[in-house]
Amino acid sequence: VQLQASGGGLVQAGGSLRLSCAASGFTYAISSTEWYRQAPGKQRELVATITRVGNTNYADFVKGRFIISRDNDKDDTVYLQMHSLKPEDTAVYYCHANSRPEVVGLYDWWGQGTQVTVSS
């Protein structure tokens, strides 16, 4: 499985951005896809998760502002729609996928990061 993240950029506080994570390869092996972020000097943290069947979960610090979704018809692309962005949302955002253990065993995959910068 290969993951390609895109959509980052510079936005003013209060603005919106949409990140995309396109999966290729054995996408049937993916059970869930997640977005993580890592700000300078901080640990990588989980932002949002979506399962293969569309169940979602969010970190408290993005609830009500970010929406994770997937388009199974478009190369299993997972989106992270970000609204009401704050300067503290500035980070490199990474997509990550977990395998279906009953199909391929236990694996996980990382995409490259995409920079999100929110100016005040």
Side-chain angles (χ1 to χ4, degrees), residues 1 26-34 49-55 70 96-107 109:
V1 172
F26 297 127
T27 58
Y28 67 88
I30 296 173
S31 67
S32 63
T33 305
E34 300 157 330
T49 303
I50 187 165
T51 68
R52 188 174 186 85
V53 297
N55 297 321
R70 69 184 311 134
H96 174 259
N98 300 290
S99 69
R100 298 166 66 191
E102 74 279 10
V103 174
V104 296
L106 286 173
Y107 292 93
W109 305 276

PDB file of all heavy atoms in Angstrom, residues 1 26-34 49-55 70 96-107 109:
ATOM      1  N   VAL A   1       0.859  -1.201   0.000  1.00  0.00           N
ATOM      2  CA  VAL A   1       0.000   0.000   0.000  1.00  0.00           C
ATOM      3  C   VAL A   1       0.887   1.240   0.000  1.00  0.00           C
ATOM      4  O   VAL A   1       1.859   1.316   0.760  1.00  0.00           O
ATOM      5  CB  VAL A   1      -0.932   0.001   1.223  1.00  0.00           C
ATOM      6  CG1 VAL A   1      -1.671   1.325   1.329  1.00  0.00           C
ATOM      7  CG2 VAL A   1      -1.923  -1.156   1.153  1.00  0.00           C
ATOM      8  N   PHE A  26      -2.528  -2.497  -2.722  1.00  0.00           N
ATOM      9  CA  PHE A  26      -3.509  -3.442  -2.178  1.00  0.00           C
ATOM     10  C   PHE A  26      -4.438  -2.741  -1.195  1.00  0.00           C
ATOM     11  O   PHE A  26      -4.442  -3.012   0.004  1.00  0.00           O
ATOM     12  CB  PHE A  26      -2.806  -4.616  -1.513  1.00  0.00           C
ATOM     13  CG  PHE A  26      -1.983  -5.444  -2.453  1.00  0.00           C
ATOM     14  CD1 PHE A  26      -0.665  -5.723  -2.183  1.00  0.00           C
ATOM     15  CD2 PHE A  26      -2.537  -5.950  -3.619  1.00  0.00           C
ATOM     16  CE1 PHE A  26       0.100  -6.495  -3.051  1.00  0.00           C
ATOM     17  CE2 PHE A  26      -1.792  -6.719  -4.496  1.00  0.00           C
ATOM     18  CZ  PHE A  26      -0.466  -6.987  -4.208  1.00  0.00           C
ATOM     19  N   THR A  27      -5.238  -1.846  -1.707  1.00  0.00           N
ATOM     20  CA  THR A  27      -6.092  -1.037  -0.838  1.00  0.00           C
ATOM     21  C   THR A  27      -7.142  -1.875  -0.123  1.00  0.00           C
ATOM     22  O   THR A  27      -7.656  -1.455   0.914  1.00  0.00           O
ATOM     23  CB  THR A  27      -6.765   0.091  -1.629  1.00  0.00           C
ATOM     24  OG1 THR A  27      -7.534  -0.491  -2.686  1.00  0.00           O
ATOM     25  CG2 THR A  27      -5.738   1.041  -2.201  1.00  0.00           C
ATOM     26  N   TYR A  28      -7.449  -3.038  -0.640  1.00  0.00           N
ATOM     27  CA  TYR A  28      -8.402  -3.919   0.045  1.00  0.00           C
ATOM     28  C   TYR A  28      -7.855  -4.372   1.390  1.00  0.00           C
ATOM     29  O   TYR A  28      -8.595  -4.879   2.233  1.00  0.00           O
ATOM     30  CB  TYR A  28      -8.722  -5.140  -0.820  1.00  0.00           C
ATOM     31  CG  TYR A  28      -7.550  -6.069  -1.003  1.00  0.00           C
ATOM     32  CD1 TYR A  28      -7.292  -7.090  -0.076  1.00  0.00           C
ATOM     33  CD2 TYR A  28      -6.676  -5.927  -2.069  1.00  0.00           C
ATOM     34  CE1 TYR A  28      -6.211  -7.925  -0.229  1.00  0.00           C
ATOM     35  CE2 TYR A  28      -5.586  -6.762  -2.222  1.00  0.00           C
ATOM     36  CZ  TYR A  28      -5.356  -7.755  -1.303  1.00  0.00           C
ATOM     37  OH  TYR A  28      -4.285  -8.575  -1.446  1.00  0.00           O
ATOM     38  N   ALA A  29      -6.551  -4.173   1.588  1.00  0.00           N
ATOM     39  CA  ALA A  29      -5.907  -4.592   2.829  1.00  0.00           C
ATOM     40  C   ALA A  29      -6.045  -3.562   3.948  1.00  0.00           C
ATOM     41  O   ALA A  29      -5.631  -3.817   5.073  1.00  0.00           O
ATOM     42  CB  ALA A  29      -4.422  -4.859   2.587  1.00  0.00           C
ATOM     43  N   ILE A  30      -6.628  -2.399   3.639  1.00  0.00           N
ATOM     44  CA  ILE A  30      -6.724  -1.332   4.629  1.00  0.00           C
ATOM     45  C   ILE A  30      -7.982  -1.493   5.480  1.00  0.00           C
ATOM     46  O   ILE A  30      -9.083  -1.643   4.950  1.00  0.00           O
ATOM     47  CB  ILE A  30      -6.743   0.047   3.942  1.00  0.00           C
ATOM     48  CG1 ILE A  30      -5.411   0.286   3.209  1.00  0.00           C
ATOM     49  CG2 ILE A  30      -6.994   1.153   4.964  1.00  0.00           C
ATOM     50  CD1 ILE A  30      -5.410   1.550   2.376  1.00  0.00           C
ATOM     51  N   SER A  31      -7.820  -1.432   6.799  1.00  0.00           N
ATOM     52  CA  SER A  31      -8.980  -1.486   7.696  1.00  0.00           C
ATOM     53  C   SER A  31      -9.385  -0.103   8.167  1.00  0.00           C
ATOM     54  O   SER A  31     -10.567   0.169   8.363  1.00  0.00           O
ATOM     55  CB  SER A  31      -8.674  -2.364   8.907  1.00  0.00           C
ATOM     56  OG  SER A  31      -7.689  -1.757   9.719  1.00  0.00           O
ATOM     57  N   SER A  32      -8.423   0.765   8.388  1.00  0.00           N
ATOM     58  CA  SER A  32      -8.732   2.124   8.836  1.00  0.00           C
ATOM     59  C   SER A  32      -7.623   3.059   8.377  1.00  0.00           C
ATOM     60  O   SER A  32      -6.486   2.626   8.155  1.00  0.00           O
ATOM     61  CB  SER A  32      -8.868   2.188  10.356  1.00  0.00           C
ATOM     62  OG  SER A  32      -7.658   1.856  10.996  1.00  0.00           O
ATOM     63  N   THR A  33      -7.998   4.309   8.228  1.00  0.00           N
ATOM     64  CA  THR A  33      -7.037   5.342   7.830  1.00  0.00           C
ATOM     65  C   THR A  33      -7.115   6.474   8.837  1.00  0.00           C
ATOM     66  O   THR A  33      -8.211   6.821   9.308  1.00  0.00           O
ATOM     67  CB  THR A  33      -7.346   5.861   6.422  1.00  0.00           C
ATOM     68  OG1 THR A  33      -7.385   4.755   5.518  1.00  0.00           O
ATOM     69  CG2 THR A  33      -6.275   6.838   5.956  1.00  0.00           C
ATOM     70  N   GLU A  34      -5.970   7.023   9.144  1.00  0.00           N
ATOM     71  CA  GLU A  34      -5.902   8.049  10.169  1.00  0.00           C
ATOM     72  C   GLU A  34      -5.113   9.251   9.662  1.00  0.00           C
ATOM     73  O   GLU A  34      -4.253   9.116   8.794  1.00  0.00           O
ATOM     74  CB  GLU A  34      -5.191   7.480  11.400  1.00  0.00           C
ATOM     75  CG  GLU A  34      -5.890   6.285  12.000  1.00  0.00           C
ATOM     76  CD  GLU A  34      -4.961   5.401  12.812  1.00  0.00           C
ATOM     77  OE1 GLU A  34      -3.761   5.331  12.491  1.00  0.00           O
ATOM     78  OE2 GLU A  34      -5.452   4.771  13.777  1.00  0.00           O
ATOM     79  N   THR A  49      -9.708   9.453  12.740  1.00  0.00           N
ATOM     80  CA  THR A  49      -9.680   8.093  12.206  1.00  0.00           C
ATOM     81  C   THR A  49     -10.973   7.814  11.471  1.00  0.00           C
ATOM     82  O   THR A  49     -12.045   8.255  11.896  1.00  0.00           O
ATOM     83  CB  THR A  49      -9.542   7.067  13.356  1.00  0.00           C
ATOM     84  OG1 THR A  49      -8.367   7.349  14.105  1.00  0.00           O
ATOM     85  CG2 THR A  49      -9.481   5.650  12.806  1.00  0.00           C
ATOM     86  N   ILE A  50     -10.865   7.065  10.383  1.00  0.00           N
ATOM     87  CA  ILE A  50     -12.059   6.568   9.695  1.00  0.00           C
ATOM     88  C   ILE A  50     -11.818   5.110   9.344  1.00  0.00           C
ATOM     89  O   ILE A  50     -10.744   4.743   8.853  1.00  0.00           O
ATOM     90  CB  ILE A  50     -12.398   7.415   8.457  1.00  0.00           C
ATOM     91  CG1 ILE A  50     -13.747   6.966   7.871  1.00  0.00           C
ATOM     92  CG2 ILE A  50     -11.292   7.358   7.400  1.00  0.00           C
ATOM     93  CD1 ILE A  50     -14.343   7.946   6.876  1.00  0.00           C
ATOM     94  N   THR A  51     -12.818   4.275   9.622  1.00  0.00           N
ATOM     95  CA  THR A  51     -12.679   2.858   9.329  1.00  0.00           C
ATOM     96  C   THR A  51     -13.147   2.565   7.909  1.00  0.00           C
ATOM     97  O   THR A  51     -13.718   3.429   7.224  1.00  0.00           O
ATOM     98  CB  THR A  51     -13.508   2.001  10.297  1.00  0.00           C
ATOM     99  OG1 THR A  51     -14.906   2.229  10.026  1.00  0.00           O
ATOM    100  CG2 THR A  51     -13.207   2.347  11.745  1.00  0.00           C
ATOM    101  N   ARG A  52     -12.925   1.336   7.497  1.00  0.00           N
ATOM    102  CA  ARG A  52     -13.297   0.925   6.152  1.00  0.00           C
ATOM    103  C   ARG A  52     -14.794   1.095   5.904  1.00  0.00           C
ATOM    104  O   ARG A  52     -15.211   1.380   4.785  1.00  0.00           O
ATOM    105  CB  ARG A  52     -12.882  -0.534   5.951  1.00  0.00           C
ATOM    106  CG  ARG A  52     -13.032  -1.036   4.541  1.00  0.00           C
ATOM    107  CD  ARG A  52     -12.466  -2.451   4.410  1.00  0.00           C
ATOM    108  NE  ARG A  52     -12.484  -2.872   3.025  1.00  0.00           N
ATOM    109  CZ  ARG A  52     -11.526  -2.583   2.156  1.00  0.00           C
ATOM    110  NH1 ARG A  52     -10.482  -1.888   2.555  1.00  0.00           N
ATOM    111  NH2 ARG A  52     -11.606  -2.993   0.909  1.00  0.00           N
ATOM    112  N   VAL A  53     -15.581   0.944   6.971  1.00  0.00           N
ATOM    113  CA  VAL A  53     -17.032   1.056   6.821  1.00  0.00           C
ATOM    114  C   VAL A  53     -17.545   2.440   7.164  1.00  0.00           C
ATOM    115  O   VAL A  53     -18.750   2.667   7.197  1.00  0.00           O
ATOM    116  CB  VAL A  53     -17.763  -0.006   7.664  1.00  0.00           C
ATOM    117  CG1 VAL A  53     -17.400  -1.403   7.175  1.00  0.00           C
ATOM    118  CG2 VAL A  53     -17.450   0.151   9.140  1.00  0.00           C
ATOM    119  N   GLY A  54     -16.630   3.375   7.451  1.00  0.00           N
ATOM    120  CA  GLY A  54     -17.038   4.759   7.602  1.00  0.00           C
ATOM    121  C   GLY A  54     -17.222   5.259   9.020  1.00  0.00           C
ATOM    122  O   GLY A  54     -17.659   6.406   9.204  1.00  0.00           O
ATOM    123  N   ASN A  55     -16.903   4.450  10.010  1.00  0.00           N
ATOM    124  CA  ASN A  55     -16.965   4.950  11.384  1.00  0.00           C
ATOM    125  C   ASN A  55     -15.819   5.919  11.636  1.00  0.00           C
ATOM    126  O   ASN A  55     -14.696   5.695  11.181  1.00  0.00           O
ATOM    127  CB  ASN A  55     -16.888   3.797  12.378  1.00  0.00           C
ATOM    128  CG  ASN A  55     -18.065   2.854  12.246  1.00  0.00           C
ATOM    129  OD1 ASN A  55     -19.192   3.270  12.033  1.00  0.00           O
ATOM    130  ND2 ASN A  55     -17.809   1.559  12.373  1.00  0.00           N
ATOM    131  N   ARG A  70     -14.212   9.478   3.456  1.00  0.00           N
ATOM    132  CA  ARG A  70     -13.504   8.672   2.468  1.00  0.00           C
ATOM    133  C   ARG A  70     -14.360   8.541   1.229  1.00  0.00           C
ATOM    134  O   ARG A  70     -15.583   8.585   1.292  1.00  0.00           O
ATOM    135  CB  ARG A  70     -13.139   7.304   3.022  1.00  0.00           C
ATOM    136  CG  ARG A  70     -14.302   6.361   3.263  1.00  0.00           C
ATOM    137  CD  ARG A  70     -13.833   5.045   3.903  1.00  0.00           C
ATOM    138  NE  ARG A  70     -12.709   4.491   3.186  1.00  0.00           N
ATOM    139  CZ  ARG A  70     -11.616   4.022   3.789  1.00  0.00           C
ATOM    140  NH1 ARG A  70     -11.511   4.044   5.093  1.00  0.00           N
ATOM    141  NH2 ARG A  70     -10.618   3.528   3.080  1.00  0.00           N
ATOM    142  N   HIS A  96      -2.001   7.789   7.650  1.00  0.00           N
ATOM    143  CA  HIS A  96      -1.519   6.503   8.138  1.00  0.00           C
ATOM    144  C   HIS A  96      -2.644   5.486   7.958  1.00  0.00           C
ATOM    145  O   HIS A  96      -3.819   5.823   8.151  1.00  0.00           O
ATOM    146  CB  HIS A  96      -1.149   6.633   9.621  1.00  0.00           C
ATOM    147  CG  HIS A  96      -0.765   5.356  10.274  1.00  0.00           C
ATOM    148  ND1 HIS A  96      -1.627   4.641  11.082  1.00  0.00           N
ATOM    149  CD2 HIS A  96       0.396   4.654  10.251  1.00  0.00           C
ATOM    150  CE1 HIS A  96      -1.012   3.549  11.511  1.00  0.00           C
ATOM    151  NE2 HIS A  96       0.213   3.540  11.026  1.00  0.00           N
ATOM    152  N   ALA A  97      -2.307   4.292   7.573  1.00  0.00           N
ATOM    153  CA  ALA A  97      -3.315   3.253   7.395  1.00  0.00           C
ATOM    154  C   ALA A  97      -2.920   1.993   8.146  1.00  0.00           C
ATOM    155  O   ALA A  97      -1.726   1.680   8.258  1.00  0.00           O
ATOM    156  CB  ALA A  97      -3.502   2.951   5.911  1.00  0.00           C
ATOM    157  N   ASN A  98      -3.939   1.305   8.628  1.00  0.00           N
ATOM    158  CA  ASN A  98      -3.750   0.035   9.323  1.00  0.00           C
ATOM    159  C   ASN A  98      -4.314  -1.092   8.474  1.00  0.00           C
ATOM    160  O   ASN A  98      -5.305  -0.906   7.759  1.00  0.00           O
ATOM    161  CB  ASN A  98      -4.457   0.066  10.670  1.00  0.00           C
ATOM    162  CG  ASN A  98      -3.953   1.162  11.571  1.00  0.00           C
ATOM    163  OD1 ASN A  98      -2.835   1.112  12.064  1.00  0.00           O
ATOM    164  ND2 ASN A  98      -4.755   2.192  11.769  1.00  0.00           N
ATOM    165  N   SER A  99      -3.737  -2.246   8.593  1.00  0.00           N
ATOM    166  CA  SER A  99      -4.163  -3.371   7.753  1.00  0.00           C
ATOM    167  C   SER A  99      -5.346  -4.118   8.358  1.00  0.00           C
ATOM    168  O   SER A  99      -5.692  -3.953   9.530  1.00  0.00           O
ATOM    169  CB  SER A  99      -3.002  -4.340   7.562  1.00  0.00           C
ATOM    170  OG  SER A  99      -2.711  -4.994   8.788  1.00  0.00           O
ATOM    171  N   ARG A 100      -5.968  -4.926   7.530  1.00  0.00           N
ATOM    172  CA  ARG A 100      -6.963  -5.895   7.965  1.00  0.00           C
ATOM    173  C   ARG A 100      -6.205  -7.169   8.313  1.00  0.00           C
ATOM    174  O   ARG A 100      -5.768  -7.894   7.409  1.00  0.00           O
ATOM    175  CB  ARG A 100      -7.965  -6.142   6.848  1.00  0.00           C
ATOM    176  CG  ARG A 100      -8.749  -4.896   6.445  1.00  0.00           C
ATOM    177  CD  ARG A 100      -9.468  -5.103   5.131  1.00  0.00           C
ATOM    178  NE  ARG A 100     -10.515  -6.109   5.234  1.00  0.00           N
ATOM    179  CZ  ARG A 100     -11.146  -6.615   4.186  1.00  0.00           C
ATOM    180  NH1 ARG A 100     -10.831  -6.227   2.963  1.00  0.00           N
ATOM    181  NH2 ARG A 100     -12.099  -7.508   4.357  1.00  0.00           N
ATOM    182  N   PRO A 101      -6.046  -7.452   9.611  1.00  0.00           N
ATOM    183  CA  PRO A 101      -5.187  -8.582   9.996  1.00  0.00           C
ATOM    184  C   PRO A 101      -5.680  -9.923   9.477  1.00  0.00           C
ATOM    185  O   PRO A 101      -4.865 -10.816   9.207  1.00  0.00           O
ATOM    186  CB  PRO A 101      -5.193  -8.530  11.524  1.00  0.00           C
ATOM    187  CG  PRO A 101      -6.369  -7.699  11.890  1.00  0.00           C
ATOM    188  CD  PRO A 101      -6.587  -6.760  10.771  1.00  0.00           C
ATOM    189  N   GLU A 102      -6.999 -10.058   9.319  1.00  0.00           N
ATOM    190  CA  GLU A 102      -7.541 -11.330   8.848  1.00  0.00           C
ATOM    191  C   GLU A 102      -7.249 -11.560   7.369  1.00  0.00           C
ATOM    192  O   GLU A 102      -7.400 -12.673   6.870  1.00  0.00           O
ATOM    193  CB  GLU A 102      -9.062 -11.389   9.092  1.00  0.00           C
ATOM    194  CG  GLU A 102      -9.909 -10.539   8.165  1.00  0.00           C
ATOM    195  CD  GLU A 102      -9.970  -9.079   8.552  1.00  0.00           C
ATOM    196  OE1 GLU A 102      -9.203  -8.651   9.443  1.00  0.00           O
ATOM    197  OE2 GLU A 102     -10.808  -8.352   7.971  1.00  0.00           O
ATOM    198  N   VAL A 103      -6.816 -10.484   6.689  1.00  0.00           N
ATOM    199  CA  VAL A 103      -6.555 -10.596   5.259  1.00  0.00           C
ATOM    200  C   VAL A 103      -5.060 -10.684   4.966  1.00  0.00           C
ATOM    201  O   VAL A 103      -4.614 -11.536   4.192  1.00  0.00           O
ATOM    202  CB  VAL A 103      -7.168  -9.397   4.505  1.00  0.00           C
ATOM    203  CG1 VAL A 103      -6.784  -9.432   3.032  1.00  0.00           C
ATOM    204  CG2 VAL A 103      -8.683  -9.390   4.673  1.00  0.00           C
ATOM    205  N   VAL A 104      -4.288  -9.783   5.569  1.00  0.00           N
ATOM    206  CA  VAL A 104      -2.864  -9.706   5.237  1.00  0.00           C
ATOM    207  C   VAL A 104      -1.954  -9.772   6.460  1.00  0.00           C
ATOM    208  O   VAL A 104      -0.732  -9.663   6.308  1.00  0.00           O
ATOM    209  CB  VAL A 104      -2.540  -8.427   4.427  1.00  0.00           C
ATOM    210  CG1 VAL A 104      -3.252  -8.445   3.094  1.00  0.00           C
ATOM    211  CG2 VAL A 104      -2.883  -7.180   5.227  1.00  0.00           C
ATOM    212  N   GLY A 105      -2.512  -9.891   7.655  1.00  0.00           N
ATOM    213  CA  GLY A 105      -1.676  -9.823   8.848  1.00  0.00           C
ATOM    214  C   GLY A 105      -1.590  -8.381   9.335  1.00  0.00           C
ATOM    215  O   GLY A 105      -2.301  -7.492   8.850  1.00  0.00           O
ATOM    216  N   LEU A 106      -0.715  -8.157  10.292  1.00  0.00           N
ATOM    217  CA  LEU A 106      -0.605  -6.847  10.922  1.00  0.00           C
ATOM    218  C   LEU A 106       0.447  -5.987  10.219  1.00  0.00           C
ATOM    219  O   LEU A 106       1.644  -6.273  10.290  1.00  0.00           O
ATOM    220  CB  LEU A 106      -0.244  -7.001  12.396  1.00  0.00           C
ATOM    221  CG  LEU A 106      -1.366  -7.479  13.319  1.00  0.00           C
ATOM    222  CD1 LEU A 106      -0.832  -7.759  14.706  1.00  0.00           C
ATOM    223  CD2 LEU A 106      -2.504  -6.469  13.361  1.00  0.00           C
ATOM    224  N   TYR A 107      -0.029  -4.951   9.536  1.00  0.00           N
ATOM    225  CA  TYR A 107       0.856  -4.000   8.886  1.00  0.00           C
ATOM    226  C   TYR A 107       0.293  -2.596   9.090  1.00  0.00           C
ATOM    227  O   TYR A 107      -0.895  -2.424   9.394  1.00  0.00           O
ATOM    228  CB  TYR A 107       0.934  -4.264   7.370  1.00  0.00           C
ATOM    229  CG  TYR A 107       1.622  -5.558   7.011  1.00  0.00           C
ATOM    230  CD1 TYR A 107       0.891  -6.725   6.816  1.00  0.00           C
ATOM    231  CD2 TYR A 107       3.004  -5.613   6.855  1.00  0.00           C
ATOM    232  CE1 TYR A 107       1.511  -7.909   6.492  1.00  0.00           C
ATOM    233  CE2 TYR A 107       3.627  -6.805   6.514  1.00  0.00           C
ATOM    234  CZ  TYR A 107       2.871  -7.946   6.338  1.00  0.00           C
ATOM    235  OH  TYR A 107       3.502  -9.120   6.012  1.00  0.00           O
ATOM    236  N   TRP A 109       0.997   1.566   7.327  1.00  0.00           N
ATOM    237  CA  TRP A 109       1.678   2.339   6.286  1.00  0.00           C
ATOM    238  C   TRP A 109       1.547   3.833   6.570  1.00  0.00           C
ATOM    239  O   TRP A 109       0.501   4.297   7.060  1.00  0.00           O
ATOM    240  CB  TRP A 109       1.069   2.033   4.917  1.00  0.00           C
ATOM    241  CG  TRP A 109       1.064   0.582   4.580  1.00  0.00           C
ATOM    242  CD1 TRP A 109       2.073  -0.149   4.044  1.00  0.00           C
ATOM    243  CD2 TRP A 109      -0.030  -0.340   4.768  1.00  0.00           C
ATOM    244  NE1 TRP A 109       1.688  -1.464   3.877  1.00  0.00           N
ATOM    245  CE2 TRP A 109       0.412  -1.611   4.315  1.00  0.00           C
ATOM    246  CE3 TRP A 109      -1.322  -0.217   5.275  1.00  0.00           C
ATOM    247  CZ2 TRP A 109      -0.402  -2.752   4.346  1.00  0.00           C
ATOM    248  CZ3 TRP A 109      -2.128  -1.339   5.307  1.00  0.00           C
ATOM    249  CH2 TRP A 109      -1.667  -2.589   4.845  1.00  0.00           C
TER     250      TRP A 109
END
